[in-house]
Amino acid sequence: GGKQSYNTCWEQTRGSEKREGLVESGKEALGRVVQATWWEWSGGSSLFFWNWPESHQEWAREGQPHYTIAPLPESTERQRRAPTEEAQEMMNKKVNKVRMRGYICAGVVLCLTNMFSVLKGLYDIRMVYDGTKSGLNACLFAPHFSLPVMAHTLRSLQEGYYSADLDVGEMFLNWWMGIMLRPYAGVDITHVRPDNVEDRESWDKDRTRFWERWVRNFMGLRDSPYRSLQMMIMAKFVAYGDRKDKKNPFRWESVVLNLPGDPDYDPSLPWVMKVREDGHLACEVYVYVDDGKFTGWSKLECWRAAQWFSKVLTVLGIQDAFRKRTGPSTKPGPWAGTVTLTEGGVFATVTELKWMKTQGLIKQLADMMRENDEALPHKTLLSIRGFLIYVGRTYRWMNPYLKGLHLVIDGWRDNREIGGYKKTKSTIHEELALKEAEEAFERGGEDNLEGFGNAEKEEAAPETVTAKQVPRFAGDVEALVNLTEGAAPATQRCRVKGSLTALYLAGDASGRGFGAAMWDEDKVVYSAGSWSRDCGGESSNWREAENLTRKVEEMAAKGILTEKELWIFTDNWTYEGTFFKGYSTSEKLTGIIFRLRMVERRTGCIIHVVHIAGTRMKEAGIDGLSRQDFVEGIMGGANPWSYI
């Protein structure tokens, strides 16, 4: 009955345009498999759409839809040759590799995109395929989306846990470009023609035009990251599988909340965690574009998670670059810019090379400020900012001091006021209306006033910007210099040890008195007194900030904060705001908060600042310390958490 079954199957898969399309797509995907080697998909890849969930099979076969916000362009500007023959030869090699794998194919072309190369090391180049120059990117819409960073991986990491890395090959090129966009993603391959006459005759045969087109997402197309990651996340959820399956390394039994303020709160554990039936945290995978990070409680479980995920990718037709796989380790290499260590605790740091580059860029900022703070190169600032933001994902004490750089970079815009901050919407509207009214009146008197009110098009950024209108920038640069001191990369503790290490502190200063109390889940330690004459004239914000910060510094000097998590509760919202922003209009208050950040940097402790209502502070009894009242609230023996 084999022949009859074969004939029946053949008839079922043919006979309509849709069925023929399924067969051709399947043949195209399987045809690439036979060209693969043990380590590499040498013939490229196409998604095995029939293995995807039914909801995503059409996208896996034909690509997701593109969302346009303007008519698609029809630019036919030809591709320029590389500046040297050697560079052109290297470009040809890169482009032909993509063409031979069928990611660039013959077809109708209505618009040409651009491409160029940049150096990659000393002897190689990286191709840049550009969808901006032709106007294609301006016509496409892509929403913002977040990527996982080091902080997310802490949900599944504890001391002694393992991590491993997996790399997805040809990340963007795995996914089909939508059919309707392909004619507008043309590629001029004139310069790719071989120089040898015989080869050129063969290459030119049956060609009527030296234009081809992209049929896959390419790096340089505006919505490629969003569309590619959208499908990759679906593949991740396929890999998660049945959470109850005992053979599944990603299995988990329950979600456990371990939140500050709970009676059983343990600062050595994540706040939210997926827990297995054996009490260990579940294995997890985090996908940062084409880099996958796996975590597991043991070396074997971590490896099983990576292997499981790799198999699922292969079943779906996604390339796993096996040659780049790393084994499970408690001291893995960097992922998303951060090195996470789990020996003796859970720590985050960066490589020595990245630390040296960070120090060098901050020094460059300081030098540029000294030389001429009225003409800072805009493109250089953008480049420095991008790298420092990347490093700031590792170090929580760094981000508040990048704000001045943001303000200087965008200070040239019309919607900025003194200090570099954005103007309010009402102010912008009033200024714009007045400006347009004046221009309309100049053009022809009152008759031309009707219809004004539309915003002008944004001008291009200038080559240089000034830091004069951003007073905080110089202070931010100085803070970054101090925070990144030392030859060895800073190591930040991400998890504290023991169940009695959470400290809770509240402080107050009223009139000439001051008071602060600390609770270590065993006893209350307080201090109270009066300010000296030279401090009595300072603002209440300064006095309360100085009171709290001085207490923290004392604890740090005694080693009390080592491997500790410190919660500061205060009714001073200025203190809380300055802690997160890193800056206040008061230079003295800014300096006080910087001392607090330096405590974080030098001790590795975890500091949280939380604003609470003044009424709670009074009920807790802290407010009374400045008046020498030692019998209310916490001072009377009440649990501090009952007031928070």
Side-chain angles (χ1 to χ4, degrees), residues 264-284:
D264 298 325
Y265 171 60
D266 184 351
S268 68
L269 298 174
W271 289 4
V272 183
M273 44 193 162
K274 292 191 290 188
V275 182
R276 297 162 30 129
E277 72 284 349
D278 56 11
H280 293 295
L281 300 187
C283 293
E284 188 57 272

Side-chain angles (χ1 to χ4, degrees), residues 240-356:
Y240 275 156
D242 181 4
R243 72 178 183 89
K244 296 287 189 178
D245 183 359
K246 298 298 182 182
K247 296 180 180 179
N248 183 1
F250 296 112
R251 69 185 184 278
W252 54 275
E253 188 66 28
S254 60
V255 172
V256 177
L257 300 181
N258 172 48
L259 303 179
D262 287 345
D264 298 325
Y265 171 60
D266 184 351
S268 68
L269 298 174
W271 289 4
V272 183
M273 44 193 162
K274 292 191 290 188
V275 182
R276 297 162 30 129
E277 72 284 349
D278 56 11
H280 293 295
L281 300 187
C283 293
E284 188 57 272
V285 56
Y286 305 91
V287 179
Y288 187 88
V289 190
D290 60 345
D291 293 329
K293 182 182 181 70
F294 301 89
T295 61
W297 68 273
S298 72
K299 192 172 185 177
L300 178 61
E301 283 299 304
C302 184
W303 182 256
R304 288 185 64 240
Q307 186 184 40
W308 181 286
F309 190 73
S310 172
K311 289 179 179 179
V312 170
L313 293 186
T314 304
V315 166
L316 296 177
I318 303 171
Q319 298 184 31
D320 174 10
F322 302 110
R323 64 190 184 281
K324 298 182 180 180
R325 180 83 59 81
T326 64
S329 174
T330 56
K331 297 186 293 183
W335 177 84
T338 302
V339 178
T340 308
L341 310 173
T342 56
E343 287 188 359
V346 181
F347 307 92
T349 185
V350 296
T351 61
E352 289 187 12
L353 186 62
K354 180 168 287 189
W355 183 251
M356 291 172 59

Side-chain angles (χ1 to χ4, degrees), residues 372 374-379 381 408-409 412 461-467:
N372 187 0
E374 293 189 23
L376 302 174
H378 189 257
K379 287 187 176 180
L381 294 183
V408 170
I409 287 175
W412 60 273
E463 291 186 3
T464 62
V465 292
T466 177

Side-chain angles (χ1 to χ4, degrees), residues 112 197 303 388 482 504 566:
L112 290 174
V197 177
W303 182 256
L388 294 183
N482 292 323
Y504 309 90
L566 174 65

